[in-house]
Amino acid sequence: MTSLADLSATGPITVIGGGPAGSVMATLLAGQGLDVTLFESRPDLRRVDIDAGRSINLALAERGIVALRHIGVMDRIDAIAIPMAGRMIHVEGERSFQPYGSRAHEVIYSVSRTDLNAILLDAAEATGRVDLRFEQRLRGVDFDQRTLHLTDEADDDRPLEAPFGVLFGADGTNSPVRDATLAVNGGALVDAPLSHGYKELEIPPGADGDFQLDPNALHIWPRGQFMLIALANPEGDFTVTLFLPNQPDLTDDAHHPGGSFAELDSAEAVESFFAREFPDFVPLVPDLTKQFFANPQGRLSTIRTTGWSHGAQSVILGDAAHAIVPFHGQGMIAALESAMVLDRTLRQSPTDVAAAFAAFEANRKPDTDAIADMALDNYIEMRSGVVDPDYLIKRELALELERRWPDHISPRYGMVMFSSIPCSAVQARAAEQGRILTELTAGADSIDDIDWARAETLVEALTPLADL
Ligand SMILES: Cc1cc2nc3c(=O)[nH]c(=O)nc-3n(C[C@H](O)[C@H](O)[C@H](O)COP(=O)(O)OP(=O)(O)OC[C@H]3O[C@@H](n4cnc5c(N)ncnc54)[C@H](O)[C@@H]3O)c2cc1C
């Protein structure tokens, strides 16, 4: 039985990775009165532009806000966050707005990824207990000698060694801490790549410097097998992401010619694809083809692991343990939640770190597995569901049921984005609600045809949401 404080006598409490999970974990450990060393392979993003001038944003919702409030940074985040009250769907040159929730506070936020990360690094530094070491890349872990092998990226990859007492691996999808931990504990990793990739583009501000689209909506151009989305930045521009199959599936009748990254291999192919699929988008981006070839194509994958810890020596969290596809805007949020859960678990088991690490995985994995599944489902919803009549009537009904019986029913999207109900409970509840929506909408052309007495019986039989 040993505490983190005891273990810090064997070597520094060490966090690998200064992204969202690592910087928040370091702040929380410092809050337990511990001194922490954090190694980050990249330069300090507060001083160096690591995105090559591109603004890249992400969506932030309730679960992430809870974590950010907990570490006291929400005032600074509020100042840079742009509220988005719903989806703006772009189809055949027409726009239609679908609110995210039935209540005014049910909005999500567009936040610059770099600015958010900078605020989290500031918070870690402000504890006075976190020693941030940039441009130092972990290469390997020697658990027997409690030694880290690193390279100094600022000094021609000069090899370095550093002792550690306990290792927190928040080093993202290619985590060396995870690989070292699984190698000694016999855990498993399943990396399920999506056959679709992504590319980020930018809609610049208009001639007057103002937004070319409504900044308070998440814009979607759904096209069945693929989609474009756009989220506003405070500078008047939008970060756009094209999600598209990597290869053409010529056996699928739904494949649009040119609708894969492999086919977009020339300026002509890109221009004709965008002109055909997104004609109302093209005038918004004067240098579209140039951007398309200048910006990298990203890979998307779901990573599920077992064996998140090795005794009291190491533990992994965030994308290192549970990377998900981005379609629910929940990957970073899950990383922040994991840091909170790990901190809480360590406080509940202060004298047995190994037991706390094991309990963390046992408690947390069902929720990260659930959000991984729901994120995959949401891709179908965003790229095709949002224009499907069956989806639309069920969505309208779900919002109306929530309006009438708010204590008993909430659409799945709302439970994920606007509540802190554990994601495994959300997934099970959404399946139960889905059966109710299917029964009530059978044969209905609009929600005017719904049998409200039957709806009341079914909804009131559900466990109240507060008890999930
Ligand atoms: C296209 C896209 C859109 C997304 N949109 C959203 C969204 O809207 N909302 C949301 O919540 N999430 C979103 N995500 C997911 C989100 O980006 C990740 O889940 C989140 O960044 C995970 O945080 P992390 O700290 O675990 O890992 P990371 O952010 O990957 O941070 C890991 C850190 O470790 C460092 N590192 C890596 N290897 C080493 C090493 N060997 N030594 C030292 N340091 C190392 C890295 O440089 C990095 O700083 C999106 C992801 C993608 C790909």
Side-chain angles (χ1 to χ4, degrees):
M1 304 272 272
T2 6
S3 68
L4 279 176
D6 294 336
L7 289 164
S8 66
T10 64
I13 303 295
T14 301
V15 175
I16 307 294
S23 42
V24 170
M25 194 69 238
T27 304
L28 294 170
L29 290 167
Q32 294 193 31
L34 298 157
D35 291 325
V36 179
T37 304
L38 185 152
F39 292 105
E40 163 57 49
S41 56
R42 294 181 299 182
D44 186 346
L45 53 70
R46 297 169 298 175
R47 291 178 180 89
V48 177
D49 176 10
I50 57 169
D51 287 326
R54 296 193 297 145
S55 337
I56 299 179
N57 48 28
L58 39 68
L60 176 64
E62 179 62 14
R63 293 164 199 277
I65 291 171
V66 168
L68 297 170
R69 202 175 286 132
H70 182 69
I71 61 159
V73 297
M74 255 330 273
D75 284 357
R76 286 189 69 193
I77 305 283
D78 272 339
I80 59 166
I82 300 179
M84 298 182 289
R87 297 165 172 157
M88 187 71 79
I89 308 297
H90 297 247
V91 174
E92 291 175 2
E94 301 291 320
R95 298 174 192 185
S96 60
F97 182 71
Q98 297 180 357
Y100 277 131
S102 57
R103 292 170 281 229
H105 67 271
E106 291 179 337
V107 298
I108 62 173
Y109 298 88
S110 170
V111 180
S112 151
R113 185 185 276 275
T114 306
D115 291 351
L116 173 60
N117 205 157
I119 290 170
L120 298 179
L121 289 168
D122 282 350
E125 204 160 55
T127 63
R129 289 186 174 276
V130 181
D131 176 11
L132 296 170
R133 303 210 189 151
F134 293 98
E135 298 186 74
Q136 309 220 335
R137 179 181 295 276
L138 181 74
R139 300 284 179 180
V141 182
D142 183 337
F143 285 110
D144 293 334
Q145 301 296 321
R146 283 190 189 261
T147 301
L148 302 177
H149 297 283
L150 302 125
T151 49
D152 187 342
E153 310 274 291
D155 187 11
D156 209 13
D157 288 351
R158 181 171 55 86
L160 299 169
E161 286 192 354
F164 72 92
V166 184
L167 194 56
F168 290 80
D171 43 354
T173 46
N174 298 317
S175 165
V177 179
R178 176 191 63 219
D179 294 347
T181 300
L182 298 190
V184 288
N185 71 8
L189 177 145
V190 178
D191 181 351
L194 199 68
S195 56
H196 295 215
Y198 74 95
K199 191 178 280 268
E200 280 147 345
L201 304 165
E202 188 210 7
I203 300 175
D208 54 1
D210 207 356
F211 293 106
Q212 297 200 59
L213 298 170
D214 178 354
N216 298 119
L218 190 153
H219 295 264
I220 309 181
W221 288 257
R223 295 295 183 265
Q225 291 299 302
F226 53 88
M227 66 178 181
L228 270 181
I229 66 168
L231 283 75
N233 294 307
E235 295 73 26
D237 62 324
F238 284 79
T239 304
V240 177
T241 314
L242 170 66
F243 294 98
L244 191 68
N246 293 321
Q247 297 293 330
D249 181 357
L250 301 175
T251 62
D252 184 348
D253 290 344
H255 179 72
H256 296 210
S260 68
F261 280 114
E263 290 163 277
L264 299 183
D265 56 356
S266 66
E268 298 70 46
V270 171
E271 280 157 19
S272 72
F273 171 71
F274 275 90
R276 194 173 57 243
E277 303 292 348
F278 306 111
D280 58 329
F281 171 79
V282 173
L284 305 174
V285 188
D287 60 346
L288 177 58
T289 308
K290 185 170 161 236
Q291 284 193 34
F292 189 91
F293 288 109
N295 296 349
Q297 179 185 329
R299 171 184 188 273
L300 298 168
S301 184
T302 303
I303 292 182
R304 296 176 205 253
T305 51
T306 52
W308 291 6
S309 57
H310 172 48
Q313 283 203 61
S314 71
V315 66
I316 54 172
L317 70 153
D319 274 12
H322 48 72
I324 63 177
V325 294
F327 306 110
H328 229 307
Q330 284 282 323
M332 176 200 68
I333 291 174
L336 300 180
E337 271 195 310
S338 284
M340 292 253 294
V341 174
L342 181 50
D343 177 58
R344 194 165 55 234
T345 313
L346 284 163
R347 287 172 187 269
Q348 285 162 352
S349 176
T351 56
D352 193 345
V353 170
F357 285 172
F360 165 59
E361 178 176 355
N363 294 338
R364 184 74 183 125
K365 187 169 162 55
D367 292 328
T368 58
D369 281 346
I371 192 61
D373 295 340
M374 293 190 285
L376 284 162
D377 290 349
N378 222 44
Y379 189 23
I380 317 266
E381 178 169 324
M382 289 175 84
R383 69 186 204 220
S384 59
V386 289
V387 288
D388 172 30
D390 183 53
Y391 166 84
L392 290 174
I393 186 173
K394 284 180 174 157
R395 184 179 165 281
E396 192 183 352
L397 175 60
L399 287 170
E400 179 58 23
L401 294 176
E402 182 186 46
R403 203 183 60 72
R404 294 184 185 212
W405 295 286
D407 297 338
H408 279 75
I409 193 161
S410 174
R412 186 181 85 177
Y413 187 86
M415 288 190 283
V416 171
M417 303 305 267
F418 308 127
S419 88
S420 291
I421 300 169
C423 283
S424 51
V426 169
Q427 188 180 32
R429 179 54 166 262
E432 212 178 350
Q433 293 180 177
R435 288 189 286 276
I436 291 177
L437 295 174
T438 300
E439 177 184 330
L440 292 174
T441 55
D445 291 324
S446 84
I447 67 162
D448 297 337
D449 301 331
I450 299 301
D451 176 346
W452 294 107
R454 178 74 183 141
E456 182 169 13
T457 307
L458 292 171
V459 171
E460 292 205 330
L462 292 167
T463 310
L465 294 168
D467 296 340
L468 293 181

